[in-house]
Amino acid sequence: MPHEELRVLVFGASRRQGSLNATLAELAARTAENAGAIVDRASMDDFDAPSYDGDDEAAGRVPDGIHELRRRLEANDAFIIASPEYNGSMCGALKNVIDWTSRFRPQPFDERHGLLLSASPSMAGGNRGLCALRVPFEHLGARIFPDMFSLAAAHRGLVDGRIADEALGARFDKTVRAFLSLAEAAKHYPCIKRAWVEFLGEPPGQGADRVDPVVEHGA
Ligand SMILES: Cc1cc2nc3c(=O)[nH]c(=O)nc-3n(C[C@H](O)[C@H](O)[C@H](O)COP(=O)(O)O)c2cc1C
Protein backbone atom coordinates (compact mmCIF):
# COMPACT_ATOMS: atom_id res chain seq x y z
CA MET A 1 0.00 0.00 0.00
CA PRO A 2 -0.86 2.54 -1.19
CA HIS A 3 -2.46 0.57 -4.04
CA GLU A 4 -3.85 3.66 -5.78
CA GLU A 5 -1.92 6.75 -6.89
CA LEU A 6 -0.92 8.93 -3.97
CA ARG A 7 1.32 11.99 -4.23
CA VAL A 8 3.16 13.13 -1.12
CA LEU A 9 5.16 16.32 -0.51
CA VAL A 10 8.04 15.64 1.90
CA PHE A 11 10.40 18.16 3.46
CA GLY A 12 12.43 18.98 6.54
CA ALA A 13 11.72 22.35 8.16
CA SER A 14 15.32 23.20 9.06
CA ARG A 15 17.57 25.14 6.68
CA ARG A 16 20.76 23.97 8.36
CA GLN A 17 23.34 21.97 6.41
CA GLY A 18 23.49 18.52 7.97
CA SER A 19 20.01 18.90 9.45
CA LEU A 20 18.79 15.89 11.42
CA ASN A 21 15.26 16.69 10.31
CA ALA A 22 16.28 16.78 6.65
CA THR A 23 17.78 13.31 7.16
CA LEU A 24 14.57 12.06 8.79
CA ALA A 25 12.52 13.62 5.98
CA GLU A 26 14.65 11.83 3.40
CA LEU A 27 14.12 8.55 5.25
CA ALA A 28 10.36 9.20 5.20
CA ALA A 29 10.57 9.93 1.46
CA ARG A 30 12.34 6.62 0.78
CA THR A 31 9.87 4.76 3.02
CA ALA A 32 6.92 6.32 1.18
CA GLU A 33 8.44 5.41 -2.20
CA ASN A 34 8.99 1.84 -1.04
CA ALA A 35 5.32 1.79 -0.06
CA GLY A 36 4.31 2.86 -3.58
CA ALA A 37 3.70 6.59 -3.16
CA ILE A 38 4.91 9.23 -5.61
CA VAL A 39 7.17 11.52 -3.59
CA ASP A 40 7.87 15.20 -4.20
CA ARG A 41 11.00 16.10 -2.21
CA ALA A 42 11.31 19.74 -1.12
CA SER A 43 13.38 21.77 1.31
CA MET A 44 12.70 24.87 3.39
CA ASP A 45 14.89 26.82 0.97
CA ASP A 46 12.17 26.30 -1.66
CA PHE A 47 9.69 28.11 0.61
CA ASP A 48 11.89 30.89 1.91
CA ALA A 49 9.89 33.99 2.90
CA PRO A 50 10.30 37.14 5.00
CA SER A 51 8.08 37.56 8.05
CA TYR A 52 4.39 37.79 7.26
CA ASP A 53 3.34 41.38 6.63
CA GLY A 54 -0.32 42.25 6.06
CA ASP A 55 0.63 45.35 4.08
CA ASP A 56 2.73 43.26 1.67
CA GLU A 57 -0.16 40.86 1.30
CA ALA A 58 -2.62 43.68 0.64
CA ALA A 59 -0.26 45.09 -1.99
CA GLY A 60 -0.02 41.70 -3.68
CA ARG A 61 3.58 41.14 -2.62
CA VAL A 62 3.29 37.50 -1.63
CA PRO A 63 6.82 35.98 -1.58
CA ASP A 64 7.79 33.55 -4.36
CA GLY A 65 8.52 30.85 -1.78
CA ILE A 66 4.92 31.01 -0.58
CA HIS A 67 3.54 30.69 -4.11
CA GLU A 68 5.83 27.68 -4.43
CA LEU A 69 4.52 26.04 -1.26
CA ARG A 70 0.95 26.59 -2.42
CA ARG A 71 1.77 25.05 -5.81
CA ARG A 72 3.49 22.04 -4.27
CA LEU A 73 0.67 21.45 -1.74
CA GLU A 74 -1.92 21.61 -4.49
CA ALA A 75 0.11 19.24 -6.68
CA ASN A 76 0.17 16.63 -3.90
CA ASP A 77 -2.48 14.76 -1.94
CA ALA A 78 -0.65 14.77 1.37
CA PHE A 79 2.42 16.13 3.12
CA ILE A 80 5.06 14.85 5.54
CA ILE A 81 7.11 17.41 7.49
CA ALA A 82 10.07 16.71 9.76
CA SER A 83 10.40 19.78 11.95
CA PRO A 84 12.87 20.81 14.64
CA GLU A 85 11.62 21.88 18.05
CA TYR A 86 12.82 25.30 19.14
CA ASN A 87 12.42 26.33 22.75
CA GLY A 88 9.72 23.83 23.44
CA SER A 89 7.58 24.76 20.46
CA MET A 90 7.42 24.74 16.68
CA CYS A 91 10.15 26.42 14.67
CA GLY A 92 9.31 30.00 13.72
CA ALA A 93 10.28 29.74 10.04
CA LEU A 94 7.71 27.00 9.50
CA LYS A 95 4.97 28.90 11.33
CA ASN A 96 5.74 31.93 9.17
CA VAL A 97 5.23 30.02 5.91
CA ILE A 98 2.05 28.44 7.31
CA ASP A 99 0.72 31.93 8.11
CA TRP A 100 1.51 33.27 4.64
CA THR A 101 0.12 30.21 2.86
CA SER A 102 -3.08 30.27 4.89
CA ARG A 103 -4.05 33.51 3.15
CA PHE A 104 -4.72 31.90 -0.25
CA ARG A 105 -8.24 30.91 -1.22
CA PRO A 106 -9.00 28.09 -1.57
CA GLN A 107 -6.88 27.61 1.51
CA PRO A 108 -4.27 24.97 0.56
CA PHE A 109 -4.06 23.09 3.86
CA ASP A 110 -7.81 22.51 4.07
CA GLU A 111 -8.62 18.77 4.00
CA ARG A 112 -5.01 17.86 3.11
CA HIS A 113 -3.53 14.95 5.05
CA GLY A 114 -0.33 15.57 7.02
CA LEU A 115 2.17 13.52 9.02
CA LEU A 116 4.46 15.26 11.49
CA LEU A 117 7.96 14.03 12.37
CA SER A 118 10.79 15.45 14.41
CA ALA A 119 14.39 14.70 15.26
CA SER A 120 16.41 16.22 18.05
CA PRO A 121 19.54 15.50 20.07
CA SER A 122 17.37 15.83 23.19
CA MET A 123 15.67 12.98 25.04
CA ALA A 124 12.17 14.13 24.03
CA GLY A 125 13.02 14.17 20.34
CA GLY A 126 11.20 17.44 19.66
CA ASN A 127 7.77 16.03 20.41
CA ARG A 128 6.53 19.20 22.15
CA GLY A 129 7.21 21.09 18.94
CA LEU A 130 4.97 18.70 17.03
CA CYS A 131 2.16 19.06 19.57
CA ALA A 132 2.35 22.82 18.99
CA LEU A 133 2.54 22.38 15.22
CA ARG A 134 -0.66 20.36 15.14
CA VAL A 135 -2.63 23.38 16.36
CA PRO A 136 -2.31 25.74 13.35
CA PHE A 137 -2.59 22.86 10.89
CA GLU A 138 -5.76 21.54 12.49
CA HIS A 139 -7.10 25.07 12.73
CA LEU A 140 -6.66 25.24 8.96
CA GLY A 141 -8.57 22.00 8.43
CA ALA A 142 -5.56 19.80 7.67
CA ARG A 143 -6.06 16.15 8.64
CA ILE A 144 -3.04 15.62 10.85
CA PHE A 145 -2.36 11.94 11.45
CA PRO A 146 -2.90 11.03 15.13
CA ASP A 147 0.45 9.24 15.41
CA MET A 148 3.55 11.40 15.25
CA PHE A 149 7.16 10.23 15.32
CA SER A 150 9.89 11.97 17.29
CA LEU A 151 13.41 10.59 17.25
CA ALA A 152 15.29 11.31 20.49
CA ALA A 153 19.10 11.47 20.62
CA ALA A 154 18.94 11.73 16.83
CA HIS A 155 22.58 12.78 16.54
CA ARG A 156 23.41 9.19 17.57
CA GLY A 157 20.22 7.47 16.39
CA LEU A 158 20.51 8.34 12.70
CA VAL A 159 23.33 6.38 11.10
CA ASP A 160 23.94 6.47 7.35
CA GLY A 161 20.48 7.94 6.81
CA ARG A 162 18.74 5.18 8.76
CA ILE A 163 17.36 4.76 12.27
CA ALA A 164 19.98 2.61 13.97
CA ASP A 165 17.65 1.05 16.54
CA GLU A 166 15.76 -1.77 14.85
CA ALA A 167 12.56 -1.50 16.89
CA LEU A 168 12.39 2.27 16.41
CA GLY A 169 13.05 1.85 12.70
CA ALA A 170 10.16 -0.60 12.45
CA ARG A 171 7.92 1.81 14.34
CA PHE A 172 8.87 4.61 11.95
CA ASP A 173 8.11 2.43 8.93
CA LYS A 174 4.74 1.42 10.38
CA THR A 175 3.79 5.02 11.15
CA VAL A 176 4.60 6.26 7.63
CA ARG A 177 2.76 3.36 6.00
CA ALA A 178 -0.31 3.75 8.22
CA PHE A 179 -0.44 7.44 7.33
CA LEU A 180 -0.22 6.68 3.61
CA SER A 181 -3.00 4.14 3.98
CA LEU A 182 -5.32 6.71 5.50
CA ALA A 183 -4.45 9.36 2.91
CA GLU A 184 -5.06 6.81 0.17
CA ALA A 185 -8.45 5.94 1.61
CA ALA A 186 -9.41 9.60 1.85
CA LYS A 187 -8.47 10.19 -1.79
CA HIS A 188 -9.76 7.05 -3.43
CA TYR A 189 -12.50 5.69 -1.19
CA PRO A 190 -14.47 8.77 -0.13
CA CYS A 191 -17.36 6.61 1.03
CA ILE A 192 -15.32 5.57 4.08
CA LYS A 193 -13.45 8.84 4.45
CA ARG A 194 -16.22 10.41 6.49
CA ALA A 195 -16.18 7.50 8.90
CA TRP A 196 -12.42 7.61 9.39
CA VAL A 197 -11.85 11.32 9.60
CA GLU A 198 -13.97 13.82 11.41
CA PHE A 199 -13.00 17.43 11.90
CA LEU A 200 -14.14 18.68 15.29
CA GLY A 201 -12.79 22.22 15.08
CA GLU A 202 -14.75 25.45 15.07
CA PRO A 203 -17.36 25.69 12.34
CA PRO A 204 -15.94 27.41 9.25
CA GLY A 205 -17.51 30.37 7.55
CA GLN A 206 -17.98 34.05 8.14
CA GLY A 207 -16.49 35.35 11.36
CA ALA A 208 -14.11 32.38 11.80
CA ASP A 209 -11.63 33.46 9.08
CA ARG A 210 -11.43 29.89 7.83
CA VAL A 211 -12.35 28.51 4.46
CA ASP A 212 -15.81 27.04 4.27
CA PRO A 213 -15.27 23.94 2.07
CA VAL A 214 -18.95 23.85 1.16
CA VAL A 215 -18.91 27.42 -0.13
CA GLU A 216 -15.43 27.53 -1.69
CA HIS A 217 -15.14 24.02 -3.11
CA GLY A 218 -18.75 23.71 -4.06
CA ALA A 219 -18.76 20.27 -2.40
C1 LIG B 1 16.95 28.30 18.97
C2 LIG B 1 17.01 26.83 19.29
C3 LIG B 1 16.17 26.30 20.23
C4 LIG B 1 16.19 24.93 20.48
N1 LIG B 1 15.28 24.42 21.35
C5 LIG B 1 15.16 23.07 21.47
C6 LIG B 1 14.12 22.50 22.22
O1 LIG B 1 13.31 23.16 22.82
N2 LIG B 1 14.02 21.15 22.25
C7 LIG B 1 14.89 20.33 21.59
O2 LIG B 1 14.73 19.12 21.61
N3 LIG B 1 15.92 20.86 20.88
C8 LIG B 1 16.07 22.19 20.79
N4 LIG B 1 17.07 22.74 20.05
C9 LIG B 1 18.07 21.85 19.48
C10 LIG B 1 17.61 21.32 18.13
O3 LIG B 1 16.76 20.24 18.32
C11 LIG B 1 18.84 20.86 17.35
O4 LIG B 1 19.65 21.99 17.05
C12 LIG B 1 18.45 20.15 16.09
O5 LIG B 1 19.59 19.56 15.54
C13 LIG B 1 17.78 21.10 15.10
O6 LIG B 1 17.26 20.39 14.02
P1 LIG B 1 18.09 20.21 12.67
O7 LIG B 1 19.25 19.28 12.98
O8 LIG B 1 17.12 19.57 11.74
O9 LIG B 1 18.58 21.55 12.22
C14 LIG B 1 17.10 24.11 19.81
C15 LIG B 1 17.97 24.67 18.87
C16 LIG B 1 17.92 25.99 18.60
C17 LIG B 1 18.84 26.57 17.55
Side-chain angles (χ1 to χ4, degrees):
M1 69 195 68
H3 302 291
E4 306 284 350
E5 183 188 280
L6 188 72
R7 295 180 177 274
V8 189
L9 175 66
V10 183
F11 65 97
S14 168
R15 298 187 65 188
R16 193 176 69 83
Q17 291 290 317
S19 157
L20 297 169
N21 286 279
T23 303
L24 197 66
E26 173 54 29
L27 182 60
R30 289 202 306 272
T31 305
E33 280 173 341
N34 289 339
I38 300 165
V39 171
D40 177 10
R41 288 170 171 80
S43 84
M44 271 307 268
D45 290 349
D46 299 329
F47 312 133
D48 189 29
S51 299
Y52 173 78
D53 182 328
D55 292 335
D56 283 343
E57 183 198 353
R61 292 190 294 269
V62 177
D64 291 346
I66 302 303
H67 284 290
E68 178 65 4
L69 178 55
R70 175 199 203 177
R71 189 184 70 73
R72 303 281 279 273
L73 284 168
E74 290 179 348
N76 287 280
D77 304 303
F79 60 87
I80 298 176
I81 301 177
S83 174
E85 173 181 284
Y86 287 162
N87 297 311
S89 190
M90 75 190 83
C91 80
L94 181 56
K95 179 61 162 54
N96 183 51
V97 302
I98 293 170
D99 291 342
W100 269 115
T101 309
S102 73
R103 305 302 292 167
F104 290 116
R105 297 293 181 270
Q107 191 262 97
F109 294 108
D110 191 37
E111 295 200 17
R112 208 154 250 103
H113 283 252
L115 173 67
L116 304 183
L117 314 171
S118 65
S120 162
S122 79
M123 292 315 291
N127 198 250
R128 288 168 303 183
L130 298 190
C131 292
L133 192 53
R134 293 189 76 90
V135 174
F137 278 136
E138 290 180 338
H139 170 79
L140 292 167
R143 314 309 198 189
I144 300 302
F145 196 58
D147 290 342
M148 303 185 288
F149 185 95
S150 296
L151 186 64
H155 56 307
R156 290 195 298 268
L158 283 170
V159 178
D160 296 331
R162 298 186 174 280
I163 295 173
D165 183 277
E166 200 176 316
L168 274 181
R171 166 95 185 269
F172 180 84
D173 199 82
K174 186 179 173 191
T175 303
V176 173
R177 285 171 185 267
F179 165 69
L180 296 174
S181 234
L182 178 59
E184 179 198 17
K187 179 180 181 186
H188 294 286
Y189 318 116
C191 51
I192 59 173
K193 173 177 152 188
R194 293 290 171 209
W196 281 29
V197 183
E198 198 171 24
F199 179 59
L200 300 174
E202 62 184 313
Q206 268 195 339
D209 198 22
R210 280 189 57 241
V211 173
D212 183 341
V214 175
V215 172
E216 302 224 3
H217 297 169

